[in-house]
Amino acid sequence: MANFDGARVLALESRRATELAALITTYGGRPLLAPALREVPLESNTAALEFASALIRGEFDITIFLTGAGTRALVSAIEHAYPRSTFAAALARTKVVARGPKPLAALRELQVPVWVSAPEPNTWRELLAAIDAKGGNAPAGARVAVQEYGVENHDLLEALAARGARVTRVPVYRWALPENLGPLKDAVAALAEDEVDIVLFTTGVQLVHLWHMAGQMHCEDRLRRALDRTVIASIGPTTSEELRRHGLAPDFVPSHPKMGVLVRRSRSNQGTCCGRSGNAKGNRPATVLHAFRYL
């Protein structure tokens, strides 16, 4: 069975870091764990409550849900003020859009019919294309609510506005740095010292926080050079977009960024990794993920 062949694999996953470390070990890698973020519920649920009130008054035409966790958190944030059945009935009077299978599952728990579900790879682009295909110029003039998940999706909001939609953001929680910064600092230092062969990014916020920590340690340039030498695996187009915003390109992106515990196989690659040349990746064997799914 092909494996990591002893490669040092940095994982920035927080929720299920232990399981990911076990998979890396099973496939012959040496895991370095550095949880890069934590979910923090918003101290004030004013935006969620205002959204629910406006929804019940019939002031939205389209409601867009981007994450399963965010959908459930939104329901929890408002159910002390509005019964779940009342909220679900109000949602059902709108055109409900799910970005992918996770929000779709959460909406099914509410027994809310879904008008559009974005196909893989479930980015804002597929979401907009699905809306366009379903409803023609539906966003034009429509009152659209967008459930957010820690950070704004500027591209989605701007694209909706460009189509003539009147957009209301509904933030539910935000991302914060982990309370224990030690492992993240150690990860920056390990990268800078060329002690990491592969780094796995499962969300773009991990890169943002890694870069922030490098700034605190006054070694952003060393981090950039290190990442140029390191094999980068990115799960999902939105994560890859964040990498590119930082001037980086992923070496590997799995074809199905979905829930599931899977590290299918890995392969050793002599010479240039994934077509990149002119950096240290081309000067030594590199082990890269052939396919993996988010835990």
Side-chain angles (χ1 to χ4, degrees):
M1 177 180 67
N3 58 36
F4 285 114
D5 195 26
R8 300 160 296 184
V9 184
L10 171 60
L12 299 161
E13 172 65 22
S14 298
R15 286 179 180 170
R16 307 186 70 175
T18 301
E19 290 89 337
L20 184 53
L23 284 173
I24 293 168
T25 301
T26 297
Y27 283 84
R30 289 180 285 163
L32 172 61
L33 298 182
L37 54 87
R38 59 190 170 98
E39 283 183 17
V40 180
L42 295 177
E43 294 179 1
S44 172
N45 288 318
T46 301
L49 292 171
E50 288 178 351
F51 160 69
S53 177
L55 178 72
I56 290 168
R57 293 195 302 269
E59 295 179 6
F60 291 107
D61 305 302
I62 298 173
T63 49
I64 298 176
F65 293 88
L66 299 179
T67 68
T71 301
R72 295 184 180 93
L74 176 60
V75 174
S76 296
I78 65 175
E79 62 183 354
H80 71 280
Y82 302 100
R84 183 173 295 223
S85 59
T86 300
F87 177 67
L91 270 183
R93 291 193 291 271
T94 71
K95 294 177 177 178
V96 178
V97 179
R99 185 174 64 95
K102 296 177 185 178
L104 181 62
L107 290 164
R108 283 174 175 166
E109 292 170 7
L110 290 171
Q111 299 182 329
V112 172
V114 173
W115 180 58
V116 169
S117 180
E120 290 185 352
N122 314 122
T123 73
W124 66 272
R125 292 184 179 87
E126 285 75 33
L127 185 148
L128 278 178
I131 292 175
D132 291 342
K134 183 77 172 182
N137 62 348
R143 301 163 298 176
V144 180
V146 180
Q147 169 259 315
E148 294 185 341
Y149 56 107
V151 293
E152 285 187 28
N153 189 321
H154 297 286
D155 294 327
L156 173 61
L157 299 179
E158 290 174 2
L160 287 168
R163 283 164 164 75
R166 291 176 284 165
V167 182
T168 298
R169 297 170 47 240
V170 187
V172 180
Y173 54 85
R174 61 182 174 85
W175 300 120
L177 286 164
E179 292 180 341
N180 179 9
L181 295 175
L184 195 56
K185 290 180 179 178
D186 291 343
V188 173
L191 281 162
E193 295 299 324
D194 200 25
E195 295 175 355
V196 175
D197 301 304
I198 303 168
V199 58
L200 310 184
F201 290 104
T202 58
T203 174
V205 183
Q206 294 168 351
L207 177 63
V208 172
H209 286 183
L210 186 70
W211 218 270
H212 173 80
M213 189 53 57
Q216 294 292 310
M217 298 168 66
H218 307 290
C219 61
E220 299 106 310
D221 290 341
R222 292 180 68 192
L223 176 63
R224 181 180 295 280
R225 290 194 297 269
L227 288 172
D228 196 44
R229 295 190 299 267
T230 306
V231 176
I232 298 174
S234 168
I235 185 161
T238 57
T239 305
S240 298
E241 286 175 2
E242 189 63 46
L243 284 162
R244 293 187 180 98
R245 275 194 285 269
H246 283 78
L248 301 166
D251 295 292
F252 180 76
V253 178
S255 56
H256 297 289
K258 295 167 62 178
M259 287 289 286
V261 181
L262 181 64
V263 177
R264 295 185 60 88
R265 65 184 177 93
S266 56
R267 61 181 173 90
S268 294
N269 188 28
Q270 299 286 338
T272 302
C273 175
C274 299
R276 277 206 208 162
S277 61
N279 57 40
K281 296 185 190 188
N283 298 330
R284 67 166 184 251
T287 304
V288 298
L289 288 175
H290 181 69
F292 71 93
R293 290 183 183 176
Y294 181 68
L295 286 171

